[in-house]
């Protein structure tokens, strides 16, 4: 077994791993990045964020073409070339991952296509698919191995009729019928893609509402649109049994929606019930790294594990399991290695659901405030009052602010509507800077744009919104 040494070893080359490796290299450190894939990218680029957003863009294009009939323009029924669509998705993915490969080479990062397991708190055993294993010693290590789709015992893994998100994104076929188990963002995004491609989509969710983390007044706009595009949305309902058929699955249900569903046979089933941290095979016990009760690696506010030399970032280190949270963690961990004493401030990490309409929120939600008995004030601006939304034919939106009644600082923002994922970034900046609604209201926003809804909701809190009347608050 050959030996080598590095200052920083990064295990996993997803958004957390490659961000950590690049930043460490930019600060003059010798870095080794370890991942089985040909180039950096991880689940996000290869099997998650980027391929799904490519397909969601196509989905939105198909939907918008159909909506254009109401404006006097008809494009006819779309002709879908599935092979070309797969090639487009792959082209996007390959371009991004190859670009990361070039950026890695420019930074002179050593890259090993291998799996890694800890030998002790200062060494890894790297095992490639072919060839000899090697021992890599390090000053510091960063674990960024991400997550994998969660499974349910009811649904056999590996069966061609049962999909997880990776298989759904492979786009091998367009099923006539699809049962989506799980009403979270993964299920709703992928369900939207297949519905646009012509599949009859049924969603079953055990909870009484979709998107458990978002406020109900935001979700209702999305649910209304999905109700029109999906075959059925069954809330407060679970799948109790399945029977595998020659080219499909028959399902039995229990709960509120069990009696309302006419079709109980589906060509494919997509299980989208969340993700689980990926720690298998790392031999963390050899390094003194411990897990919490949910299987996440325990970390402090510097992303340092229970072993001083080892850090963990991204999905494997806990919720929220989001790519941009992983990149944020990476910065914290590298700065801690550099001795800058950075601590993780995670209150303002935005969440975005890239459905149509999009749903985005950051900070405290109204639901969370109610559950924790936190006193807040709320301002809302309906997009029915937005001129730009009217020109797009998209009044199905809302922008809301959650405000501290004592300090008047913005505690949270929620947006539903086209482009909500882009708009939420302004809210993140405002909250990071400790802004009040009055501060945002004094910022000039271009007209006519959807960004004006943030100014209008801020002005609404002060009772001076131009396009939406809300009486001024009493002192």
């Amino acid at each position: 077994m050959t030996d080598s040494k590095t200052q920083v070893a990064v295990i996993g080359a997803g958004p957390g791993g490659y961000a950590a490796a690049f930043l460490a290299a930019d600060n003059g450190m010798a870095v080794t990045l370890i991942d089985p894939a040909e180039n950096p990218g991880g689940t996000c680029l290869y099997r998650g964020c980027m391929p799904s957003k490519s397909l969601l863009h196509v989905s939105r294009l198909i939907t918008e073409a159909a909506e254009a009939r109401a404006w006097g323009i008809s494009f006819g029924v779309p002709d879908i070339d599935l092979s070309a669509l797969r090639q487009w998705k792959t082209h996007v993915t390959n371009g991004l991952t190859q670009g990361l490969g070039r950026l890695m080479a420019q930074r002179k990062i050593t890259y090993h296509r291998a799996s890694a397991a800890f030998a002790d708190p200062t060494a890894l055993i790297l095992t490639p698919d072919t060839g000899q294993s090697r021992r890599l010693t390090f000053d510091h290590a960063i674990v960024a191995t991400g997550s994998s789709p969660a499974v349910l015992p009811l649904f056999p893994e590996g069966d061609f009729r049962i999909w997880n998100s990776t298989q759904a994104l492979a786009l091998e076929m367009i099923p006539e019928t699809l049962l989506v188990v799980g009403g979270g963002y993964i299920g709703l995004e992928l369900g939207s893609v297949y519905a646009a491609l012509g599949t009859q989509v049924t969603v079953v969710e055990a909870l009484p509402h979709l998107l458990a983390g978002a406020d109900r007044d935001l979700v209702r706009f999305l649910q209304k649109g999905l109700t029109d595009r999906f075959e059925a949305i069954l809330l407060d309902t679970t799948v109790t049994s399945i029977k595998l058929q020659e080219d499909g699955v028959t399902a039995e249900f229990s709960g509120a929606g069990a009696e309302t569903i006419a079709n109980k046979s589906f060509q494919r089933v997509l299980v989208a019930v969340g993700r689980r941290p990926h720690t298998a095979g790392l031999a963390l016990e050899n390094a003194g790294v411990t897990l919490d009760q949910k299987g996440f690696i325990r970390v402090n506010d510097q992303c340092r594990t229970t072993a001083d030399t080892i850090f963990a970032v991204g999905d494997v280190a806990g919720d929220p399991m989001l790519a941009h949270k992983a990149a944020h963690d990476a910065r914290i961990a590298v700065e801690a290695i550099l001795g800058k004493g950075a601590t993780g401030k995670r209150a303002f990490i935005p969440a975005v659901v890239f459905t149509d309409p999009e749903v985005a929120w950051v900070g405290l939600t109204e639901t969370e405030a109610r559950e924790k008995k936190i006193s807040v004030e709320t301002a809302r601006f309906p997009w029915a009052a937005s001129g730009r939304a009217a020109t797009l034919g998209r009044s199905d939106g809302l922008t809301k602010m959650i405000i501290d009644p004592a300090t008047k600082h913005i505690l949270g923002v929620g947006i539903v509507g086209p482009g909500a994922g882009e708009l939420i970034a302004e809210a993140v900046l405002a909250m990071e800077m400790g802004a009040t609604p009055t501060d945002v209201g004094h910022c000039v926003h271009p007209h006519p744009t959807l960004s004006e809804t943030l100014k209008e909701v801020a002005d609404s809190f002060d009772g001076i919104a131009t396009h939406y009347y809300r009486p001024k608050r009493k002192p």
Side-chain angles (χ1 to χ4, degrees), residues 376-388:
V376 297
E377 294 187 54
T378 304
R380 291 175 174 82
F381 181 78
W383 285 23
S386 163
R388 181 55 175 154

Side-chain angles (χ1 to χ4, degrees), residues 74-75 83 133 196 280 289 339 350 365 434 440 465:
S74 180
F75 294 96
S83 176
S133 296
V289 174
T365 65
V440 175

Side-chain angles (χ1 to χ4, degrees), residues 51-71 75 78 80 85 88 188-198 221-222 225-226 228-230 353-359 383 388-397 417-420 450:
S52 68
K53 302 314 169 278
S54 300
L55 296 179
L56 282 162
H57 174 66
V58 172
S59 167
R60 178 59 198 145
L61 183 64
I62 293 172
T63 303
E64 196 162 48
E67 292 171 346
R69 286 196 295 268
W71 312 330
F75 294 96
I80 298 171
L85 185 53
W88 156 248
L188 298 184
E189 287 183 359
L190 291 176
S192 296
V193 168
Y194 278 95
L197 295 176
F221 286 97
L222 171 60
L226 294 181
D228 295 336
R229 293 191 286 273
F230 288 177
V353 184
F354 291 91
T355 45
D356 181 28
E358 292 180 5
V359 184
W383 285 23
R388 181 55 175 154
T391 67
L392 298 172
R394 296 302 302 267
S395 296
D396 54 334
L450 295 175

Side-chain angles (χ1 to χ4, degrees), residues 49-361:
C49 315
M50 295 310 173
S52 68
K53 302 314 169 278
S54 300
L55 296 179
L56 282 162
H57 174 66
V58 172
S59 167
R60 178 59 198 145
L61 183 64
I62 293 172
T63 303
E64 196 162 48
E67 292 171 346
R69 286 196 295 268
W71 312 330
I73 301 173
S74 180
F75 294 96
V77 178
D79 180 17
I80 298 171
D81 184 335
L82 190 59
S83 176
L85 185 53
R86 279 197 302 269
Q87 290 175 13
W88 156 248
K89 172 182 68 77
T90 303
H91 170 75
V92 172
T93 299
N94 287 348
L96 292 170
T97 56
Q98 289 167 10
L100 288 174
R102 289 190 293 272
L103 289 170
M104 179 178 63
Q106 289 170 349
R107 289 175 164 90
K108 296 179 172 54
I109 293 170
T110 301
Y111 189 63
H112 288 295
R113 293 189 65 181
S115 58
F118 285 97
D120 57 52
T122 61
L124 291 164
I125 304 300
L126 309 185
T127 306
D129 287 340
T130 59
Q132 187 178 19
S133 296
R134 68 170 63 216
R135 182 184 178 92
L136 175 68
T137 59
F138 55 80
D139 296 331
H140 295 92
I142 299 174
V143 181
T145 47
S147 61
S148 56
V151 297
L152 294 175
L154 182 64
F155 302 94
E157 289 188 82
D159 189 280
F160 72 94
R161 290 154 290 200
I162 309 297
W163 288 351
N164 59 26
S165 57
T166 300
Q167 281 121 19
L169 286 168
L171 210 67
E172 293 298 326
M173 54 133 12
I174 301 175
E176 292 182 11
T177 54
L178 176 67
L179 174 63
V180 178
V181 182
Y185 75 95
I186 296 174
L188 298 184
E189 287 183 359
L190 291 176
S192 296
V193 168
Y194 278 95
L197 295 176
T199 300
Q200 294 179 6
V201 175
T202 297
V203 174
V204 58
E205 168 55 53
L207 295 174
H209 43 70
L210 300 175
L211 290 181
D215 282 336
R216 299 302 94 206
D217 56 350
L218 301 178
V219 176
R220 68 182 177 88
F221 286 97
L222 171 60
Q223 188 165 336
K224 183 178 184 301
L226 294 181
T227 299
D228 295 336
R229 293 191 286 273
F230 288 177
E231 186 73 8
I233 298 175
L234 309 178
L235 302 176
D236 238 341
T237 306
T238 58
V239 181
T240 55
S241 67
I242 64 167
K243 184 177 181 181
L244 300 178
Q245 307 291 348
E246 183 177 349
D247 188 33
V249 176
T250 299
E252 294 297 328
F253 304 89
S254 68
E259 300 303 319
T260 64
I261 181 169
N263 182 20
K264 297 184 180 180
S265 294
F266 306 91
Q267 194 171 5
R268 295 291 183 269
V269 175
L270 167 60
V271 180
V273 291
R275 299 183 67 83
R276 56 186 178 184
H278 185 70
T279 57
L282 289 173
L284 295 170
E285 64 279 4
N286 293 342
V289 174
T290 61
L291 307 180
D292 67 15
Q293 292 180 341
K294 295 183 178 180
F296 294 108
I297 295 176
R298 294 182 186 275
V299 294
N300 64 10
D301 60 4
Q302 289 187 322
C303 296
R304 194 187 301 269
T305 70
T306 47
D308 285 346
T309 57
I310 301 170
F311 296 75
V313 303
D315 288 5
V316 77
D319 291 323
M321 299 170 84
L322 300 168
H324 45 280
K325 178 260 191 183
H328 177 66
D329 282 355
R331 184 167 188 163
I332 293 168
V334 172
E335 290 184 352
I337 290 171
L338 292 168
K340 295 186 177 181
T343 57
K345 180 184 178 184
R346 299 184 180 174
F348 305 140
I349 295 175
V352 183
V353 184
F354 291 91
T355 45
D356 181 28
E358 292 180 5
V359 184
W361 64 95

